[in-house]
Amino acid sequence: MTKTGFIIANLFRKKTRTSLTLLSVIMAFLLFGLLQAVNVMFNAGADFIGATRVMTQARVSFTQALPMSMLPKIEGVPGVARVAPMQWFGGVWHDTDQLIVFAVDPQRQHDAYPEWVMPESQWKAFANTRTGMVVGRLIADQYHWKIGQKIPIASNIYPQKNGSKAWAFDLVGIYDGKDENWQKATNGIFIQKDYFDEANQFGINGRTNFFAIRLADSAQAQKVCKTIDAMFENSPDETKTQTEKDFNVGFVKQIGDIGLMVRWILFAVFFTLLLVVGNTMAQSVRERVPELAVLKTLGFSDGSVLGFVLVETFTLCAIGGLLGLGLATLIGIGVQKSAGGQLPLSVDWHVWTAGAIAIVLLSLAVGLLPALRASRLKIVDALAGR
Amino acid sequence: MSTLVSLRNLSKTYQRGPEKIEVLHGIDLDIDKGDFVALMGPSGSGKTTLLNLIGGLDSPTSGEVSVNGERIDQYGSGKLAKWRAANVGFVFQFYNLMPVLTAAGNVELPLLLTNLSAAQRKRNTEIALQLVGLSDRARHKPKELSGGQEQRVAIARAIVSDPTLLVCDEPTGDLDRKTADEILTLLQQLNKQHGKTIIMVTHDPRAAEFATHTLHLDKGQLAEQATH
């Protein structure tokens, strides 16, 4: 037997209680890991490495549409291969399911996104059918849509000129992703921008939410972004150009101040955890007063007893914390893969370091008082049950 | 025989709320090495308090406690803890074993405070368990043992680090007559064959008969002394 063995034996003396406490620590650190990763993702600086596409939106927000007249100017920037306008439609299926629907120029979309794979005949049909629509494989499979069907989709933003928000489109193509990652992202729908511009009641003809820009050379990404934004500086339509990855992150960021939300959620989680683990440790020490007194009787010093309780708390927090962070790492990898690498939710070493600090602080916060109580026990009183 | 325990003008007062309770007053006592002393007396006479002071679990209000020439009444809690680990073995009425450890684990516990290697600790534990006749129950946890067996494990734990002095507080108080006699015989063997000095608090006159001397305490003072 070793001191470590003794500590672990004590930790698991009440298996159900320890397991439930451990579970709460695991859940807390799982949340900690994921939310910290979200925080890191939102606060990360621009990453231009390997970018094949950049996105230009209005500087204030992508909800503020940009004039289509910008398109030829952007396309003239050295390093730009092709520009595709994309307009958010706000699609809803059967009043409940939100769909990712963009009004696009079929040919430009085809050129700017070679990752979307579809037979040329279907691209042509899309270009030639004003009410045409193409959908990603995931969506087609989910709703069992077939080419040739007329699909009624409502928009939660744009009514038609007759005032109705119910639109109908002809499904003319189903696209796949060029590889496994892109296939996982085939959850979008494209409709014809020309038709949308003409038919919507708001008359936002000639404007678009953003431009997707395919680069001729990925090494030029940073330069292209700077050139485009400089070109429209001090104009009524100032722009913000960023990599596709950063754009996607920014899209999610529209929800609100993610950092603040993360901090408040973590505060609530750790405050609860403090109470749960603190109560467990206090209870555990209370139950063991005579045993702790025996340890002291045998010659273990006050410091050793303090150490036993603190190490026991630390072991509980460390096992739970590391398992939680490990799970968060796996989930982060899963999310990255399922988003085709477009959401860099990475539980990286920054998160693990923060997690390790949190484990130590949590252990001290919940373990110190019971440990001090244990170390200050008077042997004769504790043995006499006083 | 030389004196192992020497008490001079020993007093102990407890504060219970606003009241001061003088549990022991002016005790003078010498216990020789190799003695087996039974401490008897009515409840509240100060037997356990005296035992705690001799075993270094508590400090006197006044007076001197010398064990093997060391003035332990002058030791601080840290030094006293080290001294207890090296010099005293404790046996309690309710055994006070660690429920999460096996019999062997319980016996080995005091050895974690020594510099012995894991193999040496294991060997000493086996010897101690053999001495109390429990080698075959080494892997059992306390709840899997009878009261008598638990007390034997407690005795093995008390002797494993080879202390000079064993202090036993009502070691047979929770046992039936037959098992109590077995435990007392074991203590007697430890005293006679291994030279352990034993001080045992007991209410039971039959248990006291196993000792070489009996001391009677009454109202915090030594009343009489008998030699068997």
Side-chain angles (χ1 to χ4, degrees):
Chain A
M1 194 194 56
T2 58
K3 283 181 184 171
T4 315
F6 180 51
I7 288 166
I8 290 172
N10 270 320
L11 188 59
F12 287 96
R13 63 168 51 214
K14 301 245 167 159
K15 288 187 179 65
T16 311
R17 184 175 69 192
T18 305
S19 303
L20 289 174
T21 310
L22 201 57
L23 212 60
S24 64
V25 180
I26 291 172
M27 288 309 292
F29 275 88
L30 170 64
L31 265 177
F32 175 86
L34 289 176
L35 290 175
Q36 281 296 328
V38 167
N39 222 1
V40 168
M41 180 174 79
F42 285 130
N43 293 319
D47 177 13
F48 294 98
I49 298 164
T52 55
R53 233 179 334 262
V54 296
M55 315 293 269
T56 296
Q57 63 168 72
R59 189 171 169 184
V60 179
S61 162
F62 76 89
T63 55
Q64 189 181 324
L66 295 170
M68 286 293 286
S69 57
M70 282 180 169
L71 192 148
K73 291 177 191 164
I74 294 172
E75 212 153 46
V77 170
V80 171
R82 193 70 161 144
V83 180
M86 294 178 78
Q87 170 67 43
W88 181 248
F89 176 75
V92 182
W93 170 249
H94 282 178
D95 295 333
T96 52
D97 294 7
Q98 297 287 331
L99 299 172
I100 302 169
V101 183
F102 284 104
V104 300
D105 176 316
Q107 189 54 53
R108 286 183 175 277
Q109 195 69 13
H110 184 23
D111 297 343
Y113 280 91
E115 294 86 356
W116 300 138
V117 180
M118 193 164 69
E120 280 305 315
S121 58
Q122 291 178 21
W123 280 114
K124 268 188 190 156
F126 185 31
N128 295 331
T129 313
R130 290 182 69 72
T131 55
M133 171 176 96
V134 296
V135 303
R137 181 68 63 190
L138 287 178
I139 291 285
D141 290 348
Q142 184 180 348
Y143 297 113
H144 308 293
W145 291 345
K146 301 271 183 298
I147 291 173
Q149 275 184 300
K150 198 155 201 73
I151 311 290
I153 293 178
S155 168
N156 54 16
I157 305 173
Y158 302 104
Q160 292 191 67
K161 284 206 166 123
N162 62 11
S164 167
K165 283 190 173 177
W167 295 65
F169 301 97
D170 296 299
L171 182 57
V172 294
I174 296 172
Y175 65 86
D176 287 289
K178 69 163 188 176
D179 57 25
E180 197 186 340
N181 277 345
W182 280 93
Q183 189 66 24
K184 284 176 188 161
T186 54
N187 57 350
I189 298 173
F190 302 127
I191 58 171
Q192 266 226 18
K193 190 168 184 318
D194 285 349
Y195 171 61
F196 170 77
D197 283 353
E198 276 174 27
N200 83 78
Q201 196 186 55
F202 293 173
I204 55 161
N205 196 0
R207 298 187 84 86
T208 189
N209 284 133
F210 54 89
F211 297 102
I213 301 159
R214 189 180 167 199
L215 300 170
D217 175 9
S218 66
Q220 298 290 311
Q222 192 167 7
K223 198 176 165 193
V224 168
C225 289
K226 277 187 178 170
T227 310
I228 293 172
D229 290 343
M231 201 157 58
F232 300 108
E233 208 172 3
N234 297 321
S235 78
D237 295 294
E238 289 193 313
T239 59
K240 179 179 170 186
T241 306
Q242 56 197 330
T243 64
E244 195 172 24
K245 197 184 272 183
D246 292 337
F247 176 80
N248 289 336
V249 169
F251 200 86
V252 182
K253 225 174 174 175
Q254 300 292 322
I255 301 165
D257 187 343
I258 304 285
L260 188 71
M261 282 192 260
V262 164
R263 280 194 292 278
W264 273 107
I265 294 170
L266 286 179
F267 173 76
V269 167
F270 275 90
F271 184 72
T272 313
L273 192 66
L274 220 64
L275 299 182
V276 172
V277 184
N279 184 50
T280 303
M281 288 317 296
Q283 205 175 336
S284 168
V285 166
R286 265 199 309 275
E287 286 167 2
R288 273 188 290 160
V289 163
E291 288 173 41
L292 295 166
V294 170
L295 280 181
K296 287 185 158 194
T297 302
L298 296 179
F300 286 90
S301 64
D302 295 352
S304 301
V305 173
L306 180 118
F308 276 135
V309 179
L310 269 184
V311 172
E312 199 177 310
T313 316
F314 177 75
T315 307
L316 178 73
C317 294
I319 294 174
L322 295 177
L323 282 174
L325 288 172
L327 270 176
T329 307
L330 292 177
I331 291 173
I333 292 168
V335 168
Q336 278 202 65
K337 276 190 175 170
S338 64
Q342 294 304 304
L343 270 183
L345 189 73
S346 165
V347 182
D348 60 8
W349 69 270
H350 293 103
V351 180
W352 277 86
T353 307
I357 293 168
I359 287 170
V360 174
L361 290 180
L362 181 71
S363 307
L364 284 175
V366 297
L368 201 56
L369 278 179
L372 282 173
R373 188 186 169 203
S375 74
R376 287 172 183 165
L377 279 178
K378 276 199 80 183
I379 300 174
V380 287
D381 288 342
L383 286 175
R386 286 194 287 267
Chain B
M1 273 202 277
S2 61
T3 303
L4 180 71
V5 177
S6 173
L7 310 178
R8 291 290 169 266
N9 200 21
L10 190 71
S11 294
K12 179 69 186 177
T13 305
Y14 285 116
Q15 186 86 37
R16 291 275 176 265
E19 204 182 351
K20 271 190 174 176
I21 304 164
E22 197 172 13
V23 185
L24 296 173
H25 3 234
I27 304 261
D28 288 307
L29 174 68
D30 288 313
I31 296 171
D32 288 338
K33 267 184 191 160
D35 268 0
F36 183 172
V37 178
L39 255 176
M40 296 191 74
S43 291
S45 59
K47 304 182 297 289
T48 299
T49 303
L50 184 60
L51 197 72
N52 289 341
L53 291 173
I54 295 169
L57 295 180
D58 206 355
S59 301
T61 310
S62 63
E64 296 175 10
V65 183
S66 300
V67 181
N68 218 6
E70 291 187 70
R71 280 284 303 277
I72 63 165
D73 57 284
Q74 294 176 336
Y75 286 178
S77 68
K79 198 168 178 190
L80 212 46
K82 277 186 188 163
W83 176 82
R84 281 196 305 271
N87 295 285
V88 196
F90 293 88
V91 181
F92 303 98
Q93 180 179 358
F94 298 109
Y95 332 126
N96 284 351
L97 299 176
M98 301 290 158
V100 294
L101 299 179
T102 60
N106 269 288
V107 176
E108 195 182 343
L109 201 54
L111 298 180
L112 294 180
L113 292 162
T114 65
N115 293 325
L116 296 177
S117 68
Q120 282 172 311
R121 289 203 305 265
K122 198 177 170 213
R123 199 163 47 247
N124 290 7
T125 301
E126 281 166 2
I127 293 168
L129 279 170
Q130 205 174 5
L131 216 63
V132 298
L134 275 185
S135 298
D136 57 332
R137 313 293 281 176
R139 301 275 150 240
H140 291 255
K141 289 207 171 153
K143 65 180 177 191
E144 297 158 355
L145 302 172
S146 68
Q149 287 172 330
E150 279 194 76
Q151 195 60 298
R152 280 171 185 272
V153 175
I155 292 170
R157 179 179 68 185
I159 59 170
V160 74
S161 46
D162 196 23
T164 342
L165 180 64
L166 286 187
V167 296
C168 313
D169 193 358
E170 301 269 11
T172 56
D174 198 41
L175 302 172
D176 60 64
R177 184 75 264 161
K178 184 174 171 286
T179 316
D181 283 353
E182 286 169 9
I183 293 295
L184 290 162
T185 307
L186 177 62
L187 289 176
Q188 212 170 38
Q189 277 171 10
L190 291 170
N191 172 247
K192 285 182 179 162
Q193 293 169 17
H194 299 274
K196 300 292 172 200
T197 306
I198 300 175
I199 304 172
M200 172 179 75
V201 162
T202 181
H203 274 106
D204 180 5
R206 263 193 74 175
E209 283 172 19
F210 284 81
T212 51
H213 301 285
T214 303
L215 300 174
H216 285 270
L217 265 176
D218 193 19
K219 293 178 186 164
Q221 288 180 315
L222 278 175
E224 55 179 297
Q225 218 166 334
T227 306
H228 303 288

